[in-house]
Amino acid sequence: MNIKATKGDGGNVEASLWIKSARNKGISVHIPSGNGLTNVIRDQRREISAYIPGLAGIPLLEERRSKMIVERLAAAGDANTVLRNVLNLLKNMDINGQNGLSLVRDYVSQIMGEFTLNVEFDEERDSRIRASFQTTPMKVADHRRFKPLELAGIGFLRVIQILSYLVYFRPILLLVDEPDSHLHPTAQEMPIAVLSEAAQLFGTQVILGQPIVRR
């Protein structure tokens, strides 16, 4: 397969690599020596790849964890168990001159409609991260009404998860399993456009585990 990557200096590198089944039923990757991709992979300033698995919900409570633990759990496939932690990290992150959490909110709004996403954690008093949301209909009914994030629909959570991990990690290669699962049919095509926009901004190649059929 061919892969394109962006180097630390902003330049691009394109290379070929081979992926095959290994003897222990795992996967082995072979990159020819002298390949420009090798230096990109070794660059600790950026993730080479990220995988976003399916989502069946998030825990009712989530302890605040260190950045290293959050990234380790996310890399191990436990993405749903640290979603609030990722959102909290994004809240305090500047990405291309824009707040990370605001960027996620803007992307999600393009798919699910305008909404507000709040993440609260006080270093002095809290051990758990609180996250809540408000949609436009909720705001119209009562501007003070917010719901805990764990009460959001699976489709809503799924979109937040995908875009949060894309914005946080900004990997060279992003693999997304069933990006349109649990979404209303009228919204199932939107992730493609938004993912394309975000991927172009971050220089990320996105591979979908399930193609989305355009109607």
Side-chain angles (χ1 to χ4, degrees):
M1 66 178 290
N2 292 325
I3 184 172
K4 295 180 181 179
T6 302
K7 298 183 291 185
D9 59 7
N12 294 322
V13 60
E14 184 172 357
S16 297
L17 54 88
W18 292 265
I19 300 177
K20 61 181 180 180
S21 176
R23 292 181 179 178
N24 61 355
K25 297 184 180 181
I27 296 176
S28 65
V29 179
H30 173 68
I31 302 176
S33 59
N35 196 313
L37 184 61
T38 304
N39 292 332
V40 176
I41 293 176
R42 290 175 177 172
D43 189 346
Q44 298 297 314
R45 293 170 297 179
R46 187 179 183 190
E47 298 293 335
I48 179 66
S49 65
Y51 168 64
I52 302 178
L55 180 72
I58 60 175
L60 292 177
L61 302 173
E62 187 174 323
E63 298 281 341
R64 193 262 190 183
R65 298 173 182 266
S66 69
K67 182 174 181 288
M68 181 186 71
I69 295 298
V70 170
E71 293 180 352
R72 181 179 297 173
L73 288 171
D78 294 327
N80 65 315
T81 65
V82 290
L83 179 57
R84 295 183 189 85
N85 272 276
V86 171
L87 293 172
N88 189 53
L89 289 168
L90 284 166
K91 181 181 179 180
N92 301 294
M93 184 181 292
D94 180 86
I95 301 173
N96 298 334
Q98 188 171 353
N99 177 265
L101 187 62
S102 296
L103 193 57
V104 170
R105 182 198 62 212
D106 292 345
Y107 282 137
V108 174
S109 293
Q110 293 182 48
I111 301 173
M112 307 301 295
E114 192 67 30
F115 87 114
T116 301
L117 180 61
N118 289 335
V119 179
E120 301 173 65
F121 180 79
D122 188 321
E123 293 277 357
E124 301 295 328
R125 299 182 302 174
D126 298 333
S127 62
R128 299 188 179 102
I129 299 172
R130 299 184 302 278
S132 58
F133 71 98
Q134 182 188 64
T135 62
T136 298
M138 291 167 58
K139 185 176 182 179
V140 171
D142 183 354
H143 71 278
R144 298 167 298 179
R145 183 188 177 197
F146 280 77
K147 283 186 178 181
L149 188 60
E150 62 269 19
L151 296 184
I154 298 298
F156 206 156
L157 286 173
R158 180 70 171 138
V159 171
I160 293 174
Q161 177 202 35
I162 291 172
L163 291 165
S164 295
Y165 281 75
L166 171 57
V167 173
Y168 180 78
F169 289 105
R170 303 183 298 284
I172 293 172
L173 182 66
L174 178 71
L175 295 92
V176 184
D177 186 21
E178 299 182 348
D180 61 339
S181 62
H182 303 287
L183 288 180
H184 190 277
T186 58
Q188 286 183 341
E189 294 181 9
M190 290 302 297
I192 288 292
V194 176
L195 279 173
S196 296
E197 177 186 340
Q200 185 174 10
L201 175 64
F202 301 132
T204 297
Q205 287 183 269
V206 179
I207 297 178
L208 306 180
Q210 173 183 320
I212 295 178
V213 178
R214 291 188 177 275
R215 295 173 177 80

Coordinates of all heavy atoms in Angstrom, one line a residue, residues 87 90 95-118 134 156 159-160 162-164 166-167 190-191 193-195 197-198 201-202:
L87 N -11.7 14.9 26.2 CA -12.3 16.2 26.1 C -11.7 17.2 27.0 O -11.6 18.4 26.7 CB -13.8 16.0 26.4 CG -14.6 15.2 25.4 CD1 -16.1 15.0 25.9 CD2 -14.7 15.9 24.0
L90 N -8.5 18.4 25.6 CA -8.8 19.3 24.5 C -9.2 20.7 24.9 O -8.9 21.7 24.3 CB -9.9 18.7 23.6 CG -9.5 17.5 22.7 CD1 -10.7 16.8 22.1 CD2 -8.6 18.0 21.5
I95 N -5.0 24.4 19.2 CA -4.7 23.7 17.9 C -4.9 24.7 16.8 O -6.0 25.1 16.5 CB -5.6 22.5 17.7 CG1 -5.5 21.5 18.9 CG2 -5.4 21.8 16.4 CD1 -6.5 20.4 18.9
N96 N -3.8 25.0 16.2 CA -3.8 26.0 15.0 C -4.5 27.3 15.4 O -5.3 27.8 14.6 CB -4.5 25.4 13.8 CG -3.7 24.2 13.3 OD1 -2.5 24.0 13.5 ND2 -4.5 23.2 12.6
G97 N -4.3 27.7 16.6 CA -4.9 29.0 17.1 C -6.3 28.9 17.6 O -7.0 29.9 17.8
Q98 N -6.9 27.7 17.7 CA -8.2 27.5 18.1 C -8.3 26.5 19.3 O -7.5 25.5 19.3 CB -9.1 27.0 16.9 CG -10.6 27.0 17.3 CD -11.4 26.7 16.0 OE1 -10.9 26.6 14.9 NE2 -12.7 26.5 16.2
N99 N -9.2 26.7 20.2 CA -9.3 25.8 21.3 C -9.8 24.5 20.8 O -10.7 24.3 20.0 CB -10.4 26.4 22.3 CG -10.6 25.5 23.5 OD1 -11.5 24.7 23.5 ND2 -9.8 25.5 24.5
G100 N -9.1 23.4 21.3 CA -9.4 22.1 20.9 C -10.9 21.6 21.1 O -11.5 21.0 20.2
L101 N -11.4 21.9 22.3 CA -12.8 21.5 22.5 C -13.8 22.3 21.6 O -14.8 21.7 21.2 CB -13.1 21.8 24.0 CG -14.5 21.3 24.5 CD1 -14.6 19.8 24.4 CD2 -14.7 21.7 26.0
S102 N -13.5 23.6 21.4 CA -14.4 24.3 20.5 C -14.3 23.8 19.1 O -15.3 23.8 18.4 CB -13.9 25.8 20.5 OG -14.1 26.4 21.8
L103 N -13.1 23.3 18.7 CA -13.0 22.8 17.3 C -13.8 21.5 17.2 O -14.5 21.3 16.2 CB -11.5 22.5 17.1 CG -11.1 22.1 15.6 CD1 -11.5 23.3 14.7 CD2 -9.6 21.9 15.6
V104 N -13.8 20.6 18.2 CA -14.6 19.4 18.2 C -16.1 19.8 18.2 O -16.9 19.2 17.4 CB -14.3 18.6 19.5 CG1 -15.3 17.4 19.6 CG2 -12.9 18.0 19.4
R105 N -16.5 20.7 19.0 CA -17.9 21.1 19.0 C -18.4 21.6 17.6 O -19.5 21.3 17.2 CB -18.1 22.3 20.0 CG -19.5 22.7 20.2 CD -19.6 24.1 20.9 NE -18.9 25.1 20.1 CZ -18.2 26.1 20.6 NH1 -18.2 26.3 21.9 NH2 -17.6 27.0 19.8
D106 N -17.5 22.4 17.0 CA -17.9 22.9 15.7 C -18.0 21.8 14.6 O -19.0 21.8 13.8 CB -16.8 23.9 15.2 CG -16.8 25.2 16.0 OD1 -17.8 25.4 16.8 OD2 -15.8 26.0 15.9
Y107 N -17.1 20.8 14.7 CA -17.2 19.7 13.7 C -18.5 18.9 14.0 O -19.2 18.5 13.1 CB -16.0 18.8 13.8 CG -14.8 19.4 13.1 CD1 -13.5 19.3 13.7 CD2 -14.8 20.0 11.9 CE1 -12.4 19.8 13.1 CE2 -13.7 20.5 11.2 CZ -12.5 20.4 11.9 OH -11.4 20.9 11.2
V108 N -18.7 18.6 15.3 CA -19.9 17.8 15.6 C -21.2 18.5 15.2 O -22.1 17.9 14.8 CB -19.9 17.5 17.1 CG1 -21.2 16.7 17.5 CG2 -18.7 16.6 17.5
S109 N -21.2 19.8 15.4 CA -22.4 20.6 15.1 C -22.7 20.5 13.6 O -23.9 20.6 13.2 CB -22.2 22.1 15.4 OG -22.1 22.2 16.8
Q110 N -21.7 20.3 12.7 CA -22.0 20.2 11.3 C -22.7 18.9 11.0 O -23.4 18.8 10.0 CB -20.7 20.2 10.5 CG -19.9 21.5 10.6 CD -18.7 21.5 9.7 OE1 -18.7 21.0 8.6 NE2 -17.6 22.0 10.3
I111 N -22.6 17.9 11.9 CA -23.3 16.6 11.6 C -24.6 16.5 12.4 O -25.6 16.1 11.9 CB -22.3 15.5 12.1 CG1 -21.0 15.5 11.3 CG2 -23.0 14.1 11.9 CD1 -20.0 14.5 11.7
M112 N -24.5 16.9 13.7 CA -25.7 16.7 14.6 C -26.5 17.9 14.8 O -27.5 17.8 15.5 CB -25.2 16.1 15.9 CG -24.2 14.9 15.8 SD -25.0 13.5 15.0 CE -26.3 13.1 16.1
G113 N -26.1 19.0 14.3 CA -26.8 20.3 14.6 C -26.1 21.0 15.7 O -25.4 20.5 16.5
E114 N -26.5 22.3 15.8 CA -25.8 23.2 16.8 C -26.0 22.6 18.2 O -27.1 22.2 18.6 CB -26.4 24.6 16.7 CG -25.6 25.6 17.5 CD -24.2 25.8 16.9 OE1 -24.0 25.7 15.7 OE2 -23.3 26.2 17.7
F115 N -24.9 22.6 19.0 CA -25.1 22.2 20.4 C -23.9 22.7 21.2 O -22.9 23.3 20.7 CB -25.1 20.6 20.5 CG -23.7 20.0 20.5 CD1 -23.3 19.3 21.7 CD2 -22.8 20.1 19.5 CE1 -22.0 18.7 21.7 CE2 -21.6 19.5 19.5 CZ -21.2 18.8 20.7
T116 N -24.1 22.7 22.5 CA -23.0 23.2 23.5 C -22.5 22.0 24.2 O -23.2 21.1 24.7 CB -23.6 24.2 24.4 OG1 -24.2 25.3 23.7 CG2 -22.6 24.7 25.4
L117 N -21.2 21.9 24.4 CA -20.5 20.9 25.1 C -19.7 21.5 26.3 O -18.8 22.3 26.0 CB -19.6 20.1 24.2 CG -18.9 18.9 24.8 CD1 -19.8 17.8 25.3 CD2 -18.0 18.2 23.7
N118 N -20.0 21.1 27.5 CA -19.3 21.6 28.7 C -18.5 20.5 29.3 O -19.0 19.4 29.5 CB -20.2 22.2 29.7 CG -20.9 23.5 29.2 OD1 -20.3 24.2 28.4 ND2 -22.0 23.8 29.8
Q134 N -25.9 20.4 25.6 CA -27.2 21.0 25.4 C -27.4 21.2 23.9 O -26.6 21.8 23.2 CB -27.3 22.4 26.0 CG -28.6 23.1 25.9 CD -28.5 24.6 26.4 OE1 -27.8 25.4 25.8 NE2 -29.3 24.8 27.5
F156 N -24.9 10.1 18.8 CA -24.3 11.4 19.2 C -22.9 11.2 19.9 O -21.9 11.9 19.5 CB -25.2 12.1 20.2 CG -25.1 13.6 20.3 CD1 -26.2 14.3 20.8 CD2 -24.0 14.2 19.9 CE1 -26.1 15.7 20.8 CE2 -23.9 15.6 19.9 CZ -25.0 16.3 20.4
V159 N -20.2 10.2 17.2 CA -19.7 11.4 16.5 C -18.7 12.2 17.3 O -17.6 12.6 16.9 CB -20.8 12.3 16.0 CG1 -20.3 13.5 15.4 CG2 -21.6 11.5 14.9
I160 N -19.0 12.4 18.6 CA -18.1 13.1 19.5 C -16.8 12.4 19.7 O -15.7 12.9 19.6 CB -18.8 13.4 20.9 CG1 -20.0 14.3 20.7 CG2 -17.8 13.9 21.9 CD1 -20.8 14.5 22.0
I162 N -15.3 10.1 17.6 CA -14.5 10.1 16.4 C -13.8 11.4 16.2 O -12.6 11.5 16.0 CB -15.4 9.8 15.2 CG1 -15.9 8.4 15.2 CG2 -14.6 10.0 13.9 CD1 -16.9 8.0 14.1
L163 N -14.5 12.5 16.4 CA -13.9 13.8 16.1 C -13.0 14.3 17.2 O -12.0 14.9 17.0 CB -15.0 14.8 15.8 CG -15.7 14.6 14.5 CD1 -17.0 15.4 14.4 CD2 -14.8 15.0 13.3
S164 N -13.3 13.9 18.5 CA -12.4 14.2 19.6 C -11.1 13.5 19.4 O -10.0 14.1 19.6 CB -13.1 13.7 20.9 OG -14.2 14.4 21.2
L166 N -9.8 12.4 16.6 CA -9.1 12.9 15.4 C -8.4 14.2 15.8 O -7.2 14.4 15.4 CB -10.1 13.1 14.3 CG -9.6 13.9 13.1 CD1 -8.3 13.2 12.5 CD2 -10.6 14.0 12.0
V167 N -9.1 15.1 16.4 CA -8.6 16.4 16.8 C -7.5 16.3 17.8 O -6.5 17.0 17.7 CB -9.7 17.4 17.3 CG1 -9.1 18.7 17.8 CG2 -10.7 17.7 16.2
M190 N -23.1 12.8 6.4 CA -22.4 14.0 6.9 C -21.0 13.7 7.5 O -20.1 14.5 7.3 CB -23.2 14.7 8.0 CG -24.4 15.4 7.5 SD -24.0 16.6 6.2 CE -23.0 17.7 7.1
P191 N -20.8 12.5 8.1 CA -19.4 12.3 8.7 C -18.3 12.3 7.6 O -17.2 12.7 7.9 CB -19.5 10.9 9.3 CG -20.9 10.7 9.7 CD -21.7 11.5 8.6
A193 N -18.1 14.2 4.8 CA -17.7 15.6 4.5 C -16.9 16.2 5.7 O -15.9 16.9 5.4 CB -18.9 16.4 4.2
V194 N -17.3 16.0 6.9 CA -16.6 16.6 8.0 C -15.3 15.9 8.3 O -14.3 16.6 8.5 CB -17.5 16.5 9.3 CG1 -16.8 17.0 10.5 CG2 -18.8 17.2 9.1
L195 N -15.2 14.6 8.2 CA -13.9 13.9 8.3 C -13.0 14.4 7.2 O -11.8 14.5 7.5 CB -14.1 12.4 8.2 CG -14.6 11.7 9.5 CD1 -14.9 10.3 9.2 CD2 -13.6 11.8 10.6
E197 N -12.9 17.3 5.7 CA -12.5 18.6 6.1 C -11.4 18.6 7.2 O -10.3 19.3 7.0 CB -13.7 19.5 6.5 CG -13.3 20.9 7.0 CD -14.5 21.6 7.6 OE1 -15.7 21.2 7.3 OE2 -14.3 22.6 8.3
A198 N -11.7 17.9 8.2 CA -10.7 17.8 9.3 C -9.4 17.1 8.9 O -8.3 17.5 9.3 CB -11.4 17.1 10.5
L201 N -7.2 19.4 7.1 CA -6.6 20.4 8.0 C -5.4 19.8 8.7 O -4.3 20.5 8.8 CB -7.6 20.9 9.0 CG -7.1 21.9 10.0 CD1 -6.6 23.2 9.4 CD2 -8.2 22.2 11.1
F202 N -5.5 18.6 9.2 CA -4.4 17.9 10.0 C -3.5 17.1 9.2 O -2.5 16.5 9.7 CB -5.1 17.1 11.1 CG -6.0 17.9 12.0 CD1 -7.2 17.4 12.3 CD2 -5.6 19.1 12.5 CE1 -8.1 18.1 13.2 CE2 -6.4 19.8 13.4 CZ -7.7 19.3 13.7

